[in-house]
Amino acid sequence: MDLKLKGKVAIVTGAGGGGIGTTLCLELARQGACIVANDIDQSWADKVVIETRGMGVKAVATYADVTRLADCQVMVQKALAEFGRVDIMVTIPAYTILKMFVDYTEDEWHKQLDVTFWGVVNAVRAVLDPMIAQQSGSIVCMGSDSGKVGPPKQTIYASAKAAIMNFARSLSKEVGPQGIRINVVNAGMTKTPAITDSGWLTPEKEAHFAKDYPLRRLGEAQEVVEAILFLASERGSFITGQTLSVSGGIA
């Protein structure tokens, strides 16, 4: 399916790491979109840009810390300086610590909320002014079905992901008249380098977790990315304020 993304300008926050953000940038490039690859890890942002430029598209790296609104504003300004507009914003970053709520420190609460929730709010706020000015835009926020299920040892993370769903639902009603859509893609446990390369996801753990999924397996980054691409593109032009779960039926 032609998603009609050729020439569109897309900012992806959390573009590094080799997981969903990186896979998304590569797929956007294959569709002919111009890429703004943002990651706080400069080496990763630069690597993604090199790869996407090698696919024949225009791409620039930015290094915003999404927990800071000012950084996100600089990121968007760089995109505007380079391309003149922003058509798509996808927010990927999240941070979680798996432990019982009573064992969290206050700093651990704040870091999870700052990255997982405020990182979305800051990036979205930064891109709204140019999207309102051009009277168009598509925003997709990376969610998680943890926000629906509320699993143990993810109290703060799950709360942040639940907040993202309601943030998008409410904001969609405000910016819809300006031609801007905002949706959420909820992933289940997805096999990304963050959990596979670390050695954390052993074959035994994978088999254990897969039992919780009706499809009896974990997700792949590419499967999540396909949903993001659809909602970001004009193929999803009459969809806004919605949350799509790509999670093997766990929620």
Side-chain angles (χ1 to χ4, degrees), residues 22 39 62 119 122 154 193 211:
T22 303
D39 204 279
T62 57
N122 289 333
Q154 296 185 37
K211 291 178 182 178

Side-chain angles (χ1 to χ4, degrees), residues 86-123:
V86 179
D87 300 295
I88 296 165
M89 163 72 82
V90 183
T91 66
I92 301 292
Y95 179 77
T96 187
I97 302 170
L98 300 177
K99 62 167 67 175
M100 300 295 283
F101 175 69
V102 294
D103 295 326
Y104 283 124
T105 67
E106 187 175 354
D107 286 345
E108 288 171 337
W109 299 350
H110 288 298
K111 183 168 183 180
Q112 291 181 87
L113 289 170
D114 285 348
V115 176
T116 307
F117 179 64
W118 291 112
V120 171
V121 173
N122 289 333

Side-chain angles (χ1 to χ4, degrees), residues 121-231:
V121 173
N122 289 333
V124 171
R125 179 62 189 92
V127 84
L128 279 183
D129 288 342
M131 285 187 171
I132 290 171
Q134 68 198 29
Q135 292 287 285
S136 67
S138 180
I139 300 167
V140 183
C141 304
M142 191 74 249
S144 169
D145 272 345
S146 292
K148 290 182 178 180
V149 176
K153 297 186 179 181
Q154 296 185 37
T155 308
I156 302 299
Y157 176 79
S159 298
K161 290 298 190 179
I164 289 170
M165 289 186 279
N166 284 288
F167 170 72
R169 185 180 296 116
S170 181
L171 183 59
S172 70
K173 296 174 175 63
E174 296 182 19
V175 300
Q178 284 76 47
I180 301 165
R181 298 184 297 110
I182 178 167
N183 293 289
V184 179
V185 171
N186 276 0
M189 187 176 291
T190 306
K191 293 170 67 176
T192 64
I195 64 171
T196 58
D197 292 355
S198 66
W200 179 84
L201 188 68
T202 63
E204 293 76 20
K205 280 186 178 179
E206 183 174 350
H208 171 75
F209 289 126
K211 291 178 182 178
D212 294 332
Y213 291 78
L215 293 182
R216 295 298 188 266
R217 66 178 179 85
L218 304 186
E220 303 287 345
Q222 184 68 35
E223 294 173 309
V224 178
V225 164
E226 296 291 349
I228 295 172
L229 287 172
F230 174 75
L231 289 174

